[in-house]
Amino acid sequence: MSPLDLENIFKGIWWRAQNEPSLEGLTPELIAGWARDKGLADPVATARDVGAFNPTPGIVLEVGGQKACFPRISSEGDASLNVRRKVRDDEALLWEKLEWFAPLWLPRGKIREVVAAVQHCTKERAIELFDYHTSTLYTLAFQAVCIAQIMPQARSLKEIVPLTRIP
């Protein structure tokens, strides 16, 4: 069976799970049974938490080396997910104000420091503070590689880009 066919079967199982009265009622036996009903040979389903930082209870189905995870909690009814989503959405709005994205190479503590500094500022002041904070976080060589070559057109970096151009 091709990976695309298996993916479609996994999607079908997920749609069936969403039609259940509650995702909390999902069991490994139920998911494995649905997989067998779809013609999959030797499905292995296990109940376990999935996710590195904020584990979600789920059922992991493995068939022929391919895995699918079916959460046992709805995204709409999970209070902790809603809180985390709001925090990330607020952070995204602040990064949008900076015409930027959250730099993946910065530790979370440093990102929070930059975000906290611009939270209640105008866009222009936020960009000035961002410029200040980036100058304290990076060496010039690191800026050249990670910033100027990735986002050379960003207005918030217009003063730094000429300095970091490599001939």
Side-chain angles (χ1 to χ4, degrees), residues 26-45:
L26 295 178
T27 64
E29 296 77 22
L30 184 62
I31 296 292
W34 291 347
R36 279 190 291 278
D37 291 347
K38 293 282 191 178
L40 298 178
D42 301 322
V44 177

Side-chain angles (χ1 to χ4, degrees), residues 75-88:
S75 62
E76 291 151 9
D78 184 5
S80 66
L81 175 66
N82 293 337
V83 168
R84 291 192 311 269
R85 168 67 72 182
K86 176 155 179 25
V87 168
R88 296 297 174 255

Side-chain angles (χ1 to χ4, degrees), residues 98-160:
L98 296 171
E99 301 171 356
W100 195 247
F101 58 93
L104 300 176
W105 54 85
L106 280 181
R108 295 291 303 161
K110 291 292 184 184
I111 290 174
R112 286 190 192 98
E113 181 182 316
V114 173
V115 168
V118 302
Q119 194 163 9
H120 303 290
C121 301
T122 65
K123 183 174 183 168
E124 292 75 22
R125 180 65 179 144
I127 290 172
E128 287 174 13
L129 288 170
F130 179 76
D131 289 341
Y132 167 75
H133 280 284
T134 55
S135 71
T136 65
L137 296 173
Y138 305 113
T139 65
L140 186 58
F142 193 76
Q143 287 178 349
V145 173
C146 294
I147 297 177
Q149 292 183 7
I150 295 171
M151 296 280 293
Q153 301 303 317
R155 284 188 292 184
S156 59
L157 298 174
K158 68 182 176 189
E159 293 177 18
I160 296 173

Side-chain angles (χ1 to χ4, degrees), residues 2 4 10-11 13 19 24-25 36 40 50-51 63 65-66 74 95 100 106 115 131-132 135 140 144 150 155 161:
S2 77
L4 183 58
F10 286 161
K11 285 180 184 177
I13 293 170
N19 287 324
E24 293 173 4
R36 279 190 291 278
L40 298 178
V50 177
V63 178
Q66 299 292 318
S74 171
W95 283 110
W100 195 247
L106 280 181
V115 168
D131 289 341
Y132 167 75
S135 71
L140 186 58
I150 295 171
R155 284 188 292 184
V161 172

